[in-house]
């Protein structure tokens, strides 16, 4: 652009619009003249006070509104900015305008067309609706000349916003608590997606997130940029506006570019299933080892997603006489994270050696080891508490127990064993998390017997069994003797379950009822004695 045009844009940014007007008559003339001279679309982001917040220059065919991170929105409220941009075509707002208006929660989107003399022709406007009308979430205003605006722009926007707030579900919302809309995009079975979504709801509940809605979209292939379609993204934004959502939680793992694309087109925080699981683990870890493992997994997850908007080499390091431009802030952050990961790895090795020595002392005493494995929330900690009369934390939440716990247990025939509770498994367990917990899972390699605890009351228990068995195979633990323990039989039809238990060669129990445990103890004792005789 020419310096004259840049000065004209600066003067345009200093103009003030009357709040009652979408755009002032003189401002519209200046905008149209400058747009025609540059042969580009030019847009204004106007605050409700009438001040111009941004001037945006596009090309001849379209204009791209930049991300607006510095302007926040409360639940159920619009952004406080309206966009007015020029257009060389005849007609009103198009689909892309509506998309920008919905995703950025703009007060209004207006298009100023030009006549043959490069003067303002008609002003087309559109705004969002608190409720759908004729299947549409927005409404177009009657086109007018900028000099003949009859409606009060500020009154219209404020009345719409009050309607949005009134349309929100009436409920007490804890301050500081996330309110999420769960999103799943699948190319496979819809049934599998629904099952996975049900599990995501439980994960969100375990993290203390309030779930306000769920969206599942089935596509032939994932959108490389947004993961879901642009139309569905617009629908999600309108739903989040109506419900007061401040978080989008995706069931799929998102790439760094997908997270950036969605966050740039919305004003909501975006996290995926992996980050949610990592956050749950971080809040539940109690031991030093557990905290180290979680921090390492979080840093490895964060590293490829680290980015910055400051591409200039303005923030430099190095003293006087340093050669070259130095490092950018991004490079420094990445280096520090890699250094921290290396230090955590050394600390975990040290903790692993201590755990190895403890296992050595245990082996010298010839005390058999039983390890509890299974899907998360299957009842492993509850079973350990009932067997050993302990008070380990056991809640009806996913990943309530993270740190491995060992207790001694004496069988009726004077056989003493050590029984160990380990972290639960889940489908699509993050690879970095599984790797970080290697030292903890090493406890399983020392086990003489694995008790695979299954929540038989869960409709998806067979799929959960398959997930656990696949992970045991991946960890090369499938050669250790394993007994299936079907928990929560008090919640299901006993006859049907007993057939499945007999087919699997397992034992049925209720972990909260000690009276159901003698058959399990007898079976475990027999298996251990056979194992000890063989060894």
């Amino acid at each position: 652009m020419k310096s004259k045009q840049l000065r004209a844009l600066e003067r345009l940014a200093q103009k003030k619009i009357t709040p009652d007007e979408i755009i002032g008559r003189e401002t519209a003339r200046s905008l149209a003249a400058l747009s025609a001279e540059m042969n580009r679309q030019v847009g204004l982001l106007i605050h409700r006070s009438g001040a111009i917040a941004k001037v945006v220059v596009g090309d001849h065919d379209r204009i791209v509104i930049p991300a607006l991170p510095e302007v926040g929105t409360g639940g159920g409220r619009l952004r406080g900015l309206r966009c007015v941009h020029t257009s060389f075509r005849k007609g009103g707002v198009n689909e892309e305008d509506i998309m920008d208006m919905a995703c950025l929660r703009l007060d209004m989107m207006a298009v100023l067309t030009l006549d043959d003399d490069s003067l303002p022709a008609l002003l087309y406007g559109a705004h969002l609706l608190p409720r759908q009308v004729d299947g549409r979430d927005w409404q177009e205003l009657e086109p007018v000349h900028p000099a003949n605006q009859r409606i009060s722009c500020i009154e219209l926007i404020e009345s719409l916003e009050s309607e949005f707030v009134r349309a929100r579900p009436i409920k007490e919302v804890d301050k500081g608590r996330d309110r999420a809309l769960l999103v799943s995009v699948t190319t496979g079975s819809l049934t599998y997606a629904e099952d996975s979504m049900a599990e995501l709801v439980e994960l969100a509940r375990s993290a203390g997130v309030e779930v306000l809605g769920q969206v599942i979209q089935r596509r032939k292939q994932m959108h490389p940029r947004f993961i879901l379609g642009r139309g569905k993204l617009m629908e999600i934004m309108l739903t989040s506006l109506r419900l007061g959502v401040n978080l989008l939680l995706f069931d799929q793992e998102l790439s760094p570019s997908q997270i950036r694309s969605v966050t740039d087109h919305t004003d909501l925080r975006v996290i995926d299933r992996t980050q949610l699981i990592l956050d749950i683990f971080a809040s539940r870890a109690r031991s030093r080892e557990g905290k180290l493992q979680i921090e390492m997994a979080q840093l490895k997850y964060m590293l490829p997603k680290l980015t910055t908007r400051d591409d200039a080499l303005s923030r430099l390091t190095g003293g006087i006489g340093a050669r070259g431009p130095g490092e950018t802030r991004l490079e420094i952050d990445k280096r520090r994270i890699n250094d921290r990961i290396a230090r955590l790895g050394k600390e975990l090795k040290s903790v692993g050696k201590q755990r190895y020595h403890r296992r050595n002392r245990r082996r010298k005493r010839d005390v058999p080891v039983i390890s509890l494995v299974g899907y998360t929330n299957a009842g492993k900690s509850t079973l350990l508490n009932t067997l050993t009369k302990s008070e380990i934390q056991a809640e009806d939440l996913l990943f309530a127990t993270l740190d491995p716990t060992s207790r001694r247990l004496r069988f009726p025939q004077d056989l003493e064993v050590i029984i160990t509770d380990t972290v639960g498994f889940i489908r699509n367990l993050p690879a970095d998390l599984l790797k970080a917990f290697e030292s903890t899972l090493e406890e399983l390699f020392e086990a003489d017997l694995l008790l695979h605890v299954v929540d038989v009351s869960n409709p998806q228990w067979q799929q959960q069994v398959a997930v656990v068995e696949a992970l045991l195979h991946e960890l090369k633990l499938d050669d250790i003797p394993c007994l299936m323990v079907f928990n929560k039989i008090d919640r299901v039809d006993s006859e049907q379950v007993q057939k499945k238990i007999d087919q699997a060669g397992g034992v049925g129990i209720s972990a909260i009822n000690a009276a159901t445990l003698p058959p399990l103890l007898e079976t475990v004792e027999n298996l251990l004695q056979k194992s000890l005789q063989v060894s």
Side-chain angles (χ1 to χ4, degrees):
M1 286 184 286
K2 300 175 182 177
S3 57
K4 174 186 171 184
Q5 294 169 343
L6 289 173
R7 287 195 296 272
L9 289 170
E10 289 173 358
R11 287 194 297 272
L12 191 61
Q14 294 169 2
K15 289 184 178 291
K16 182 101 171 170
I17 313 297
T18 305
D20 282 331
E21 295 181 317
I22 299 174
I23 186 172
R25 179 178 179 179
E26 291 303 319
T27 307
R29 287 176 65 93
S30 300
L31 184 66
L34 186 56
S35 178
E37 181 185 343
M38 298 170 63
N39 198 29
R40 295 183 180 202
Q41 292 187 15
V42 180
L44 304 178
L45 288 171
I46 306 170
H47 195 270
R48 287 181 197 174
S49 64
I52 296 176
K54 281 183 182 291
V55 178
V56 185
V57 179
D59 54 29
H60 184 273
D61 298 319
R62 64 194 295 263
I63 193 167
V64 177
I65 300 176
L68 306 169
E70 73 278 5
V71 184
T73 54
R77 297 194 177 279
L78 299 171
R79 185 173 283 278
L81 295 172
R82 62 184 178 274
C83 177
V84 181
H85 72 85
T86 57
S87 175
F88 295 101
R89 57 180 173 76
K90 303 300 180 184
V93 293
N94 58 21
E95 185 179 344
E96 192 166 346
D97 291 326
I98 299 297
M99 177 80 174
D100 287 336
M101 177 174 63
C103 289
L104 296 175
R105 299 190 184 194
L106 297 175
D107 292 351
M108 184 181 291
M109 177 64 75
V111 175
L112 179 65
T113 57
L114 280 61
D115 62 19
D116 296 335
D117 297 322
S118 301
L119 294 172
L122 289 175
L123 183 65
Y124 296 83
H127 60 78
L128 300 174
L129 290 173
R131 299 175 188 83
Q132 280 194 348
V133 176
D134 298 330
R136 294 206 310 183
D137 294 288
W138 70 92
Q139 181 177 346
E140 293 188 47
L141 301 174
E142 185 178 348
V144 295
H145 190 276
N148 297 323
Q149 299 177 58
R150 295 183 180 87
I151 63 168
S152 170
C153 179
I154 190 68
E155 286 182 9
L156 173 63
I157 291 169
E158 288 178 349
S159 64
L160 285 171
E161 190 168 72
S162 62
E163 282 295 318
F164 271 111
V165 174
R166 267 200 298 272
R168 285 184 57 199
I170 300 173
K171 60 173 73 176
E172 288 295 322
V173 179
D174 297 333
K175 285 189 177 180
R177 190 180 184 191
D178 282 319
R179 303 176 302 281
L181 186 66
L182 308 190
V183 183
S184 176
V185 185
T186 180
T187 56
S189 164
L190 194 60
T191 304
Y192 180 85
E194 290 170 349
D195 294 341
S196 185
M197 176 64 81
E199 194 168 82
L200 187 65
V201 171
E202 288 301 306
L203 283 169
R205 186 173 71 89
S206 298
V209 175
E210 183 179 6
V211 177
L212 298 183
Q214 304 172 31
V215 177
I216 299 178
Q217 185 183 38
R218 191 168 183 271
R219 294 173 59 89
K220 290 184 179 179
Q221 60 183 18
M222 299 286 188
H223 194 289
R225 188 176 176 194
F226 298 110
I227 198 170
L228 41 75
R230 291 173 64 91
K232 183 60 72 172
L233 182 61
M234 184 175 72
E235 179 187 320
I236 285 171
M237 286 307 303
L238 291 167
T239 302
S240 68
L241 179 60
R242 294 190 180 108
L243 297 178
V245 168
N246 67 351
L247 175 68
L248 289 184
L249 180 48
F250 281 81
D251 194 28
Q252 288 70 33
E253 184 168 354
L254 304 180
S255 68
S257 62
Q258 286 171 335
I259 291 178
R260 284 196 296 273
S261 294
V262 176
T263 52
D264 284 349
H265 281 75
T266 69
D267 59 348
L268 300 178
R269 287 166 43 236
V270 177
I271 67 173
D272 57 18
R273 181 190 181 95
T274 300
Q275 186 174 344
L276 179 64
I277 293 175
L278 290 172
D279 289 346
I280 293 172
F281 272 50
S283 65
R284 300 278 167 77
R286 295 290 177 267
S287 68
R288 175 170 172 264
E289 182 180 16
K291 291 176 180 177
L292 291 173
Q293 290 166 332
I294 294 302
E295 186 181 353
M296 175 175 274
Q298 286 181 315
L299 289 174
K300 285 184 175 179
Y301 172 81
M302 184 196 307
L303 190 59
K305 295 177 172 57
L306 197 63
T307 186
T308 178
R309 294 183 184 278
D310 182 15
D311 297 325
L313 294 177
S314 56
R315 304 183 195 176
L316 311 178
T317 59
I320 296 173
R323 302 179 69 180
E327 292 179 290
T328 63
R329 182 79 257 167
L330 177 60
E331 289 169 337
I332 295 170
D333 291 342
K334 284 185 175 180
R335 178 163 49 80
R336 285 177 177 168
I337 287 178
N338 282 319
D339 290 345
R340 179 62 181 162
I341 289 173
R343 284 198 299 273
L344 289 172
K346 289 178 182 177
E347 290 185 52
L348 282 171
K349 279 186 181 179
S350 174
V351 175
K353 286 179 183 178
Q354 295 171 16
R355 188 181 290 278
Y356 175 76
H357 291 314
R358 286 198 296 272
R359 290 200 300 267
N360 259 348
R361 289 197 298 271
R362 195 186 299 160
R363 281 196 297 268
K364 288 177 183 177
R365 294 172 187 167
D366 291 328
V367 180
V369 177
I370 300 172
S371 287
L372 300 175
V373 297
Y375 211 78
T376 180
N377 206 26
K380 300 183 294 300
S381 299
T382 304
L383 177 58
L384 181 62
N385 283 339
T386 307
L387 284 172
T388 61
K389 296 182 174 59
S390 304
E391 295 183 356
I392 300 165
Q393 181 187 7
E395 299 180 53
D396 184 21
L397 294 172
L398 302 189
F399 301 118
T401 306
L402 288 185
D403 299 315
T405 308
S406 298
R407 294 290 185 272
R408 284 183 178 272
L409 175 65
R410 184 174 290 277
F411 283 86
Q413 297 183 9
D414 287 337
L415 175 63
E416 189 177 52
V417 301
I418 290 175
I419 184 166
T420 302
D421 183 19
T422 56
V423 63
F425 296 142
I426 195 170
R427 75 177 85 185
N428 302 325
L429 192 66
D432 285 338
L433 196 60
L434 196 62
K435 187 168 181 61
F437 271 78
E438 275 181 351
S439 58
T440 302
L441 295 172
E442 281 176 4
E443 290 278 349
L444 298 176
F445 289 95
E446 305 298 326
D448 298 287
L449 177 66
L450 300 179
L451 295 186
H452 181 175
V453 183
V454 180
D455 177 6
V456 76
S457 68
N458 191 309
Q460 308 300 322
W461 70 267
Q462 290 171 310
Q463 288 91 326
Q464 292 180 353
V465 167
V467 169
V468 174
E469 289 178 345
L471 284 169
L472 289 175
H473 177 72
E474 185 180 338
L475 294 167
K476 299 179 181 177
L477 293 165
D478 45 359
D479 57 342
I480 298 175
C482 183
L483 174 65
M484 299 278 283
V485 181
F486 292 86
N487 188 24
K488 306 183 185 180
I489 58 171
D490 53 320
R491 298 186 182 180
V492 292
D493 187 329
S494 57
E495 290 185 7
Q496 291 183 355
V497 170
Q498 193 57 50
K499 291 180 181 177
K500 294 173 182 176
I501 291 173
D502 293 339
Q503 289 173 359
V507 180
I509 64 162
S510 173
I512 59 174
N513 185 0
T516 64
L517 300 183
L520 170 64
L521 293 173
E522 184 180 346
T523 306
V524 168
E525 193 170 14
N526 291 336
L527 288 171
L528 283 176
Q529 286 179 344
K530 287 179 183 177
S531 176
L532 293 173
Q533 287 172 4
V534 170
S535 59

